[in-house]
Amino acid sequence: MNILLPKYAIHYGGMTPIKDEEEANSFGFTFEESRFREKDYVVYWGSQSYKPDFAHKFGVMETGFFNEGCFIDTVGNYHTNSLNSRQAYSEITSFDLNGRKSARELILNRPERLQSKFNAAFGDVKEVEENIILALQNPGDRSIYSVSNKKNYMEFVNDCCRFYGKSLFVKMHPWNSNEIYDEFANIAKKYGCNFGKAPVSIIEGKEFVISYNSTFAVDCCLRNVPIVQYQMGTFYNCFGVHYSSQSLPTRIEPIANADKLCDFLIYKYCFNKHMDKVLFASMIKSFSTSRLMFPMIDEYSYANNMH
């Protein structure tokens, strides 16, 4: 097979266990972006625009939704990804562990810092009295720009703080710092909202969490905390997540078995970017010939390659 992997994956963060062109060539792959139409299978990085006719078959790679986790979507990214399809809804709701450990068992029994995509133990605020949590993002993140822009995002944060007031805790993203942190802090102060960097555990037992378009939805589902997504995006039409269609709810009903989403992601969607390179190469070749929307099998899954 003539397979192209995304150069971004090795140049900006080591997103694959294959580290250079020579190693890629040994598996029949390349990172060199040329003559796309001659490739049998192209894996694009999520931030890159693409046209499916650039190759006979393609996948879209991104980070998420667990510590050191990645995925390759067969359809698109963010609001266009496969998780928002009718087929995904059916497959997630009917997903059966068949004796395997649940995502909750696998993830929440790890050291706390490894229980989320980012360090789940990070933060100085250890206890929160407020019952509604606003999970902030990095305003320059692609998850925002894929569906909106920074101006609209900052308006969303302002609207949340004004609407929920002192009932809201503004949970800073681990990457919110310096001027960005201050910008968010000033909005929260204006409406009397408490704020700060806090570990993921502060969401436990809360009424609900609201986010713009964040993978924090997975952390909520793992902990049985209702999550509402305000904007279109990764999980807006997905089982386990409420989509508010750009409105601010006052109450969210819990979705029974919402953690099925996490079970599905950990066995049928995500892989560990530090998995064995031979196994990774085998997974890529398997994806390149599969006609399934969700071609992940147990052998390659994040659940069976946790470190």
Side-chain angles (χ1 to χ4, degrees), residues 16 24 29-30 70 73 101 106 114 116 148 157-158 164 230 276-277 280 291 307:
T16 82
F29 306 157
T30 182
C70 284
D73 197 275
K101 289 185 177 180
L106 290 169
L114 301 178
S116 182
S148 188
V157 174
N158 186 83
Y164 296 114
Y230 179 86
D276 176 79
K277 67 182 66 175
F280 174 81
R291 294 186 178 183
H307 300 291

Side-chain angles (χ1 to χ4, degrees), residues 3-9 33 35-39 41-63 71-73 75-77 142 284:
I3 294 174
L4 173 63
L5 299 179
K7 188 174 289 187
Y8 182 99
E33 299 177 357
R35 297 187 295 277
F36 286 76
R37 288 181 177 84
E38 296 179 9
K39 307 300 180 187
Y41 182 56
V42 175
V43 181
Y44 296 91
W45 189 255
S47 63
Q48 183 176 351
S49 60
Y50 63 88
K51 295 180 180 178
D53 66 352
F54 272 15
H56 295 295
K57 186 173 171 57
F58 73 95
V60 183
M61 184 176 175
E62 256 286 5
T63 58
F71 63 83
I72 297 175
D73 197 275
V75 177
N77 203 15
R142 290 193 310 275
I284 294 296

Side-chain angles (χ1 to χ4, degrees), residues 208-209 211 225-231 235-245 249 251-255:
F208 65 88
V209 173
S211 71
V225 179
I227 171 70
V228 58
Q229 182 163 312
Y230 179 86
Q231 182 58 272
F235 297 110
Y236 86 100
N237 198 38
C238 185
F239 173 78
V241 177
H242 292 274
Y243 174 50
S244 75
S245 191
R251 180 178 172 79
I252 294 294
E253 291 295 332
I255 297 174

Side-chain angles (χ1 to χ4, degrees), residues 8-283:
Y8 182 99
I10 53 170
H11 285 190
Y12 300 95
M15 301 301 174
T16 82
I18 297 175
K19 302 302 182 185
D20 55 43
E21 181 67 11
E22 182 179 357
E23 212 166 57
N25 291 166
S26 70
F27 293 106
F29 306 157
T30 182
F31 288 106
E32 295 303 320
E33 299 177 357
S34 62
R35 297 187 295 277
F36 286 76
R37 288 181 177 84
E38 296 179 9
K39 307 300 180 187
D40 294 310
Y41 182 56
V42 175
V43 181
Y44 296 91
W45 189 255
S47 63
Q48 183 176 351
S49 60
Y50 63 88
K51 295 180 180 178
D53 66 352
F54 272 15
H56 295 295
K57 186 173 171 57
F58 73 95
V60 183
M61 184 176 175
E62 256 286 5
T63 58
F65 303 101
F66 308 103
N67 181 265
E68 307 293 8
C70 284
F71 63 83
I72 297 175
D73 197 275
T74 60
V75 177
N77 203 15
Y78 300 116
H79 57 295
T80 66
N81 74 24
S82 61
L83 294 172
N84 290 310
S85 67
R86 179 179 293 182
Q87 181 176 331
Y89 196 97
S90 175
E91 291 201 27
I92 293 168
T93 54
S94 63
F95 185 71
D96 194 332
L97 287 168
N98 288 321
R100 294 170 292 189
K101 289 185 177 180
S102 68
R104 182 174 292 150
E105 290 177 275
L106 290 169
I107 299 299
L108 299 187
N109 282 318
R110 305 186 84 185
E112 186 180 5
R113 63 184 177 82
L114 301 178
Q115 292 180 9
S116 182
K117 179 178 178 179
F118 300 98
N119 185 346
F122 183 78
D124 298 325
V125 181
K126 303 301 182 184
E127 294 184 7
V128 170
E129 293 183 358
E130 294 79 7
N131 280 316
I132 302 171
I133 309 295
L134 169 59
L136 291 182
Q137 296 168 248
N138 177 9
D141 195 83
R142 290 193 310 275
S143 60
I144 291 173
Y145 280 88
S146 67
V147 293
S148 188
N149 55 51
K150 180 182 177 181
K151 177 178 179 292
N152 288 341
Y153 181 69
M154 299 308 291
E155 289 177 356
F156 157 74
V157 174
N158 186 83
D159 289 348
C160 281
C161 291
R162 179 176 56 202
F163 185 76
Y164 296 114
K166 293 183 179 180
S167 297
L168 183 74
F169 178 78
V170 180
K171 183 184 182 302
M172 298 285 185
H173 188 281
W175 289 1
N176 294 156
S177 58
N178 303 321
E179 293 87 355
I180 293 173
Y181 185 99
D182 292 341
E183 193 171 359
F184 285 136
N186 288 335
I187 294 173
K189 289 175 184 176
K190 183 166 61 172
Y191 299 106
C193 303
N194 284 328
F195 62 90
K197 293 188 177 182
V200 175
S201 59
I202 62 104
I203 70 172
E204 294 174 3
K206 300 305 181 184
E207 287 183 23
F208 65 88
V209 173
I210 186 168
S211 71
Y212 199 69
N213 172 29
S214 174
T215 61
F216 198 71
V218 174
D219 299 285
C220 296
C221 290
L222 275 172
R223 292 165 177 80
N224 283 327
V225 179
I227 171 70
V228 58
Q229 182 163 312
Y230 179 86
Q231 182 58 272
M232 291 178 65
T234 306
F235 297 110
Y236 86 100
N237 198 38
C238 185
F239 173 78
V241 177
H242 292 274
Y243 174 50
S244 75
S245 191
Q246 301 176 40
S247 65
L248 299 175
T250 55
R251 180 178 172 79
I252 294 294
E253 291 295 332
I255 297 174
N257 302 314
D259 57 325
K260 270 182 170 286
L261 170 60
C262 306
D263 293 336
F264 185 84
L265 293 174
I266 208 168
Y267 283 104
K268 289 294 295 177
Y269 195 72
C270 296
F271 63 90
N272 191 315
K273 67 182 184 181
H274 297 307
M275 68 193 293
D276 176 79
K277 67 182 66 175
V278 174
L279 196 62
F280 174 81
S282 177
M283 179 186 74

